[in-house]
Amino acid sequence: MGTTWSQEAFPTKPVELVIPFAAGGSHDLHARVIAGFAQQYLGQPLVVLLKPGGGGAIASQFVVKGRGDGYTLLFGSNGPNTILPQVQDVGYKMREFTPVCMINYSPPLLFVGANAPWKTLPEFIEFSKANPGKVNFAHTGIWGAAHFPMLIVENKTGAKVNFVPFDGGGPALLAVASGNADASFGFAAQLLPFVQAGRVRVLGVAAPERIETVRDVPTFRELGVDVTFTLWRTILAPSTTPLPRVRTLRQACAKIVQDPSFRALIRQLGEPLIYMDGPGFLTFWRNEWDDIARALAAIRR
Amino acid sequence: MFESLAHGFAVALSPSNLLFAVVGVVLGTVVGVLPGIGPPTTVALLLPLTSGVDVTAAVIMLAGIFYGAMYGGSTTSILVNLPGEAASVVTTYDGYQMAQQGRAGGALAIAAIGSFVAGTLGVIGLTFLSPALSELALRFGPPEYFGLTLLGLTLVASLATGSMLRGLLMAALGLWLGMIGLDPVQGTQRFTFGILELSDGIDLVPITMGLFGVGEILYNLRQAQEMPTVRRAVIDWSRSLREVIQSRWAILRGSLVGFFVGILPGGGAIISSLLAYAMEKRLARDPSRFGHGAPEGVAAPESANNAAATTSMIPMMLLGVPGNATTALILAAFLIHGVRPGPFLLRDHPDVFWGVVASMYIGNVLLIVLNLPLVGVFIQLLRVPYRYLAVLIALLTMIGAYSINNSIFDVWLMLLFGGLGYVCRVLRFDVGPLIIAFVLGPMVELSLRQSLIMSRGDIGILFARPAATAFVLAAVGLLAGQMVSSSLRYFGGLRRAQVG
Amino acid sequence: MIGVAAGVLGAGLALSRNLQSLREDPQQPGRRKLLSAGVLLGGYVLGLDRLGFVPATFVFILVWLRVVERSPWRETTLVAVAATAAMYGIFVRWLAIPLPAGFLAP
């Protein structure tokens, strides 16, 4: 079986990339950019298939239950693939997937309204400690990108905020900008115009290191709070995919992210380029999985 | 500002942009007519194709699809009692009635003209008031949303044609259906029975397509009579003209409602058409005409949903925050081209903004030119023996249901609602209140809970601000008024029985 | 909660009324049409996944027109072919909706 796999041609028909989120979202947009270069570097077109729902579980299940022949891939993220399996029984965990490559990640930024009294992150946290539940913190869904990191902050610093649910990043942003809420986590691409217009102020970014698109925003770590949340965008193959095929995919991916036009397009979306190859990402993911497990244990106590 | 607009026209009238506008509005009309396939699906599908095209042209086309669909959506509502667009649900009430009375052409004409006036007024408002309007959108917080949606919900009662009890039962069912999914505050699953596909709630399309489309088909099959194919394929234009003039206030008020409600993220076409219809019914001298073929009953919702579609572009373009699925996708189209809508769109890309605005004027003109003659064509459609229409509609609704999420589950759901729709028709339960409660219920719940969380339990937050207070008082007032008048009638009836 | 209670009440009301009306008018052709349509709809959804869009659609239209509407064979096949072709053209080619391809998938 071994030699025949590595010698046969792959791919010989279009490859499907399944997106676990709704149309028009950042994953969708990134996927479309990637798809534009796939034919050139992979030899076959990449077809983007949207399967939103269940917080990303539907798409993940779809890929895991598929044929595992390398023609159906998942464009995963930490929400559906690291956090969700640990808070809900979704029928898959880490070992059902083999990473192909990570395109980038978007870390959330903590922002407050322009009229808010806090000018730095430490000020904000001190206030939330001294006045538990007084800060109205907009979030976009339980265990989501605006909820989970704040839970970790609460856990690590003793701050306490009042979580107000909103229907998505947009409404949450508007709420903070208009003073209906005091603070929230959001993403650079959507926040930047509001920051430049002076309507919101960014206090920190929950990333391992500073992000190129918002270079002058300090990381939480720098400010003394060890919190990171990486909304990663990684192409995942089911772990039943034969290794030679995974290698072919990895090679194609590595070439795509080097392409200057590709890089320019991603930058045009307002997103950074933080590439990690398959094995590198696997290490990253393992660490993240354990971090999240610890955080969940601490939060639930 | 006029120079900007003039410049915008120059941009919009360039041959290629004009072409894209035409393609957009034609496609939009087609998509609006087709049940199940809506602007979000179509725009999503065309997104990848627009990357090779210049951003203004792309947005012109996609926006054209959006408001064009509002023109087309009323067509099937009127002809076969199947809303082509969720926003056209309200149009079925009087539109289909008019068709049953042989006045399908008149209904289509009013819908088209109302949509044109509303769309044009909407764009005019957009031109002069955009910055102010985006501020308004910004300031609308949970208490205001609560007031507004509560008002909408109370109006459901006044919409029930026929037994109030049946209407309320349907609304109760709708409220329950709206609860299926994740609890907005605690994230727990409600009524999902462990089915993963239900954890995001039921999408509106399977419900409307099932209840209206499949339900109607099943019912008609059961009747087993050959549906009388409409012989009257002639339009009485002079009568239509009189009806338009008769409905002028409905059109204006509908446009106004749609204009403001459309700006609100999450607001939009359905709520506006509902509010406009209910308002007209309340304000009419003879409310009993509504539900039985009143032209105002078609004019109001159609104007409202067009105005709403137009103004919903504003929060997307000037705040970068889309208010509905279609504008979210148009936003994506902007992003693919490296243009970020938001507070700086006017500053950094004025020609894109004004080009799009100008093309909306043009688009509305194109649409009325397109749709009025089409009225004649569509009526011919009615002459197709119902046998064939039924199969096709069944097929189209199933494809449409599938295409929302690429999910077979949604098709099953739709069939389930088809069965429910059939039962409702047999028992003469009006399905409208269910849909409205389904849409508004979750909004009322979310905004109430958000407000109470924000105020940490203090209900005064709902009355702390003028707009919120106004809405809540209006809703309470309506409810109270309803109860008072019906109890007066009841006791009056009792008294008469005693006396007589 | 009130909604659920009301819903249950309503359903109960509906059922009793329905049983009554069924007893009252046993319209044979109508009932047959309804049942066959129902079965066909379900069958289509099942077939869609397994057979793929084009075959399932064609069979659906064919069987529907023949069984539900009792249309003559020539008309039926004509409409089935034309409609399936049109659907394919509009939805698969033009709008490029990812419809299930079933076992005919490459």
Side-chain angles (χ1 to χ4, degrees):
Chain A
M1 246 327 181
T3 33
T4 34
W5 278 126
S6 56
Q7 280 161 358
E8 99 196 305
F10 169 82
T12 54
K13 57 175 182 163
V15 177
E16 252 181 2
L17 186 62
V18 183
I19 318 292
F21 304 115
S26 69
H27 264 66
D28 184 19
L29 293 177
H30 280 79
R32 296 189 191 279
V33 176
I34 299 172
F37 290 84
Q39 177 101 41
Q40 196 181 340
Y41 293 102
L42 192 59
Q44 285 286 333
L46 188 69
V47 176
V48 171
L49 184 62
L50 294 157
K51 274 213 179 275
I58 294 189
S60 308
Q61 285 173 353
F62 177 75
V63 172
V64 164
K65 292 195 193 131
R67 268 183 271 188
D69 54 5
Y71 286 102
T72 309
L73 307 170
L74 178 73
F75 200 27
S77 191
N78 64 337
N81 301 108
T82 311
I83 299 180
L84 199 61
Q86 299 195 52
V87 296
Q88 209 183 313
D89 178 19
V90 283
Y92 58 84
K93 296 231 188 299
M94 252 187 69
R95 62 160 182 258
E96 274 76 19
F97 295 104
T98 304
V100 172
C101 64
M102 180 177 87
I103 305 294
N104 64 18
Y105 59 70
S106 296
L109 287 83
L110 185 82
F111 65 97
V112 299
N115 298 323
W118 317 289
K119 302 256 185 316
T120 67
L121 185 65
E123 265 177 59
F124 176 76
I125 295 187
E126 280 312 309
F127 184 89
S128 310
K129 274 165 81 167
N131 302 280
K134 198 146 190 310
V135 173
N136 278 336
F137 196 87
H139 77 83
T140 56
I142 305 286
W143 307 125
H147 186 236
F148 200 82
M150 196 58 209
L151 285 177
I152 307 185
V153 170
E154 283 191 324
N155 194 260
K156 295 205 165 168
T157 64
K160 259 209 125 319
V161 299
N162 190 20
F163 283 105
V164 187
F166 280 87
D167 246 340
L173 172 58
L174 290 185
V176 175
S178 63
N180 277 303
D182 298 311
S184 186
F185 269 107
F187 290 96
Q190 203 176 34
L191 284 178
L192 275 179
F194 276 74
V195 176
Q196 286 161 355
R199 294 178 154 206
V200 299
R201 192 184 310 136
V202 174
L203 299 183
V205 60
E209 35 194 41
R210 294 208 182 189
I211 302 296
E212 64 183 274
T213 43
V214 280
R215 230 176 288 268
D216 21 303
V217 176
T219 67
F220 271 58
R221 274 195 194 146
E222 287 174 42
L223 297 168
V225 187
D226 187 13
V227 178
T228 59
F229 184 94
T230 48
L231 191 105
W232 40 262
R233 298 186 185 89
T234 301
I235 302 181
L236 297 167
S239 49
T240 47
T241 314
L243 202 50
R245 295 193 172 184
V246 175
R247 269 193 226 117
T248 313
L249 292 167
R250 283 178 177 170
Q251 281 162 5
C253 187
K255 291 200 203 107
I256 292 179
V257 298
Q258 296 291 3
D259 186 308
S261 329
F262 175 82
R263 297 173 82 85
L265 279 172
I266 298 286
R267 289 228 172 77
Q268 203 168 271
L269 288 178
E271 300 284 352
L273 281 148
I274 310 174
Y275 169 75
M276 251 189 234
D277 66 10
F281 179 75
L282 194 57
T283 317
F284 174 86
W285 196 8
R286 284 213 186 94
N287 287 330
E288 186 191 60
W289 184 280
D290 293 335
D291 282 341
I292 300 286
R294 272 192 294 267
L296 280 170
I299 291 170
R300 282 167 165 162
R301 226 181 291 118
Chain B
M1 177 197 307
F2 279 109
E3 319 94 57
S4 324
L5 186 59
H7 182 66
F9 270 106
V11 170
L13 286 170
S14 79
S16 64
N17 285 344
L18 206 55
L19 179 66
F20 275 98
V22 171
V23 170
V25 299
V26 169
L27 199 53
T29 313
V30 170
V31 162
V33 171
L34 286 176
I37 313 275
T41 320
T42 321
V43 173
L45 291 168
L46 291 175
L47 260 188
L49 300 175
T50 59
S51 40
V53 166
D54 132 89
V55 64
T56 315
V59 177
I60 286 179
M61 181 178 77
L62 297 177
I65 296 179
F66 185 29
Y67 55 85
M70 293 302 148
Y71 275 78
S74 50
T75 310
T76 44
S77 305
I78 292 170
L79 293 179
V80 283
N81 204 22
L82 170 62
E85 264 317 291
S88 309
V89 164
V90 183
T91 317
T92 59
Y93 291 168
D94 284 85
Y96 189 55
Q97 288 297 316
M98 282 181 79
Q100 298 285 68
Q101 295 161 18
R103 307 244 25 254
L108 289 171
I110 293 225
I113 296 175
S115 300
F116 172 70
V117 174
T120 311
L121 286 177
V123 192
I124 294 179
L126 233 173
T127 313
F128 296 106
L129 297 174
S130 326
L133 289 174
S134 57
E135 283 304 304
L136 183 68
L138 203 61
R139 292 195 190 297
F140 225 69
E144 283 81 8
Y145 270 99
F146 173 70
L148 184 64
T149 47
L150 186 67
L151 183 62
L153 210 51
T154 1
L155 287 170
V156 167
S158 61
L159 282 180
T161 41
S163 157
M164 181 77 77
L165 181 63
R166 290 185 148 131
L168 288 178
L169 272 174
M170 284 280 102
L173 188 57
L175 284 178
W176 173 67
L177 287 169
M179 287 203 289
I180 299 181
L182 288 177
D183 181 295
V185 175
Q186 292 170 324
T188 46
Q189 308 248 342
R190 298 197 296 200
F191 298 115
T192 57
F193 305 109
I195 303 178
L196 192 61
E197 283 85 348
L198 288 178
S199 64
D200 293 303
I202 302 182
D203 199 271
L204 185 60
V205 174
I207 294 191
T208 40
M209 292 301 127
L211 287 176
F212 280 94
V214 179
E216 177 89 1
I217 293 176
L218 291 177
Y219 182 69
N220 287 326
L221 285 177
R222 180 75 172 81
Q223 296 303 85
Q225 316 135 300
E226 191 60 45
M227 285 276 290
T229 44
V230 176
R231 307 266 155 231
R232 258 290 239 2
V234 172
I235 314 167
D236 187 351
W237 284 111
S238 62
R239 182 164 174 198
S240 286
L241 193 60
R242 265 180 285 131
E243 283 177 339
V244 169
I245 299 184
Q246 179 190 342
S247 321
R248 66 193 184 287
W249 292 115
I251 295 180
L252 278 171
R253 286 190 285 247
S255 308
L256 216 62
V257 170
F259 187 77
F260 286 107
V261 176
I263 298 175
L264 310 171
I270 310 178
I271 302 184
S272 345
S273 54
L274 166 69
L275 286 176
Y277 183 86
M279 180 166 70
E280 284 315 304
K281 190 171 175 187
R282 294 217 134 241
L283 293 174
R285 227 160 294 161
D286 181 13
S288 63
R289 281 188 305 123
F290 281 75
H292 300 284
E296 294 92 330
V298 175
E302 278 306 307
S303 314
N305 69 28
N306 259 76
T310 311
T311 48
S312 71
M313 298 277 286
I314 296 185
M316 184 268 290
M317 287 204 284
L318 295 184
L319 292 175
V321 176
N324 54 47
T326 315
T327 46
L329 290 163
I330 302 184
L331 177 73
F334 271 109
L335 294 177
I336 292 181
H337 289 88
V339 175
R340 181 152 267 279
F344 293 116
L345 186 69
L346 268 178
R347 184 191 72 176
D348 298 333
H349 301 272
D351 41 326
V352 176
F353 180 77
W354 291 113
V356 172
V357 172
S359 83
M360 287 170 98
Y361 281 109
I362 300 176
N364 272 295
V365 172
L366 284 171
L367 279 164
I368 192 80
V369 163
L370 190 67
N371 275 285
L372 277 182
L374 273 183
V375 168
V377 173
F378 284 132
I379 306 201
Q380 301 302 326
L381 266 177
L382 274 183
R383 290 159 115 231
V384 172
Y386 189 74
R387 298 205 296 271
Y388 300 116
L389 277 182
V391 202
L392 291 179
I393 293 179
L395 210 46
L396 284 173
T397 52
M398 289 196 283
I399 298 176
Y402 179 79
S403 65
I404 324 164
N405 277 331
N406 293 327
S407 149
I408 292 270
F409 182 77
D410 286 333
V411 190
W412 285 118
L413 259 186
M414 191 197 66
L415 291 182
L416 189 69
F417 282 106
L420 181 64
Y422 167 73
V423 170
C424 288
R425 270 177 180 63
V426 166
L427 301 170
R428 280 170 300 129
F429 274 85
D430 180 21
V431 146
L434 188 157
I435 297 198
I436 292 153
F438 174 77
V439 171
L440 289 178
M443 297 178 109
V444 174
E445 182 194 4
L446 177 65
S447 47
L448 179 62
R449 293 172 81 178
Q450 280 175 321
S451 305
L452 289 178
I453 293 179
M454 278 164 65
S455 67
R456 277 162 280 275
D458 178 12
I459 204 167
I461 191 176
L462 298 173
F463 300 100
R465 296 195 290 214
T469 321
F471 286 128
V472 178
L473 286 180
V476 173
L478 257 172
L479 208 56
Q482 197 92 325
M483 295 198 303
V484 168
S485 63
S486 46
S487 34
L488 277 178
R489 258 181 279 136
Y490 181 71
F491 289 120
L494 274 183
R495 177 105 68 77
R496 271 196 290 279
Q498 279 177 343
V499 171
Chain C
M1 266 347 285
I2 312 173
V4 177
V8 171
L9 268 173
L13 190 76
L15 267 167
S16 58
R17 291 272 197 92
N18 198 18
L19 289 169
Q20 257 188 340
S21 66
L22 263 179
R23 241 172 281 145
E24 277 157 23
D25 69 338
Q27 268 184 298
Q28 286 310 99
R31 202 116 56 98
R32 179 191 59 76
K33 280 189 175 188
L34 182 65
L35 272 146
S36 34
V39 168
L40 213 53
L41 285 169
Y44 180 71
V45 186
L46 287 169
L48 193 61
D49 219 5
R50 240 134 283 178
L51 301 173
F53 177 64
V54 173
T57 307
F58 182 71
V59 170
F60 176 76
I61 303 181
L62 204 71
V63 178
W64 178 292
L65 286 177
R66 189 77 194 111
V67 175
V68 177
E69 302 285 0
R70 289 272 158 88
S71 293
W73 270 114
R74 198 154 49 119
E75 236 174 63
T76 314
T77 22
L78 225 77
V79 174
V81 170
T84 310
M87 300 264 165
Y88 178 75
I90 300 178
F91 293 112
V92 181
R93 276 275 121 110
W94 190 31
L95 294 178
I97 301 181
L99 291 160
F103 64 74
L104 289 180

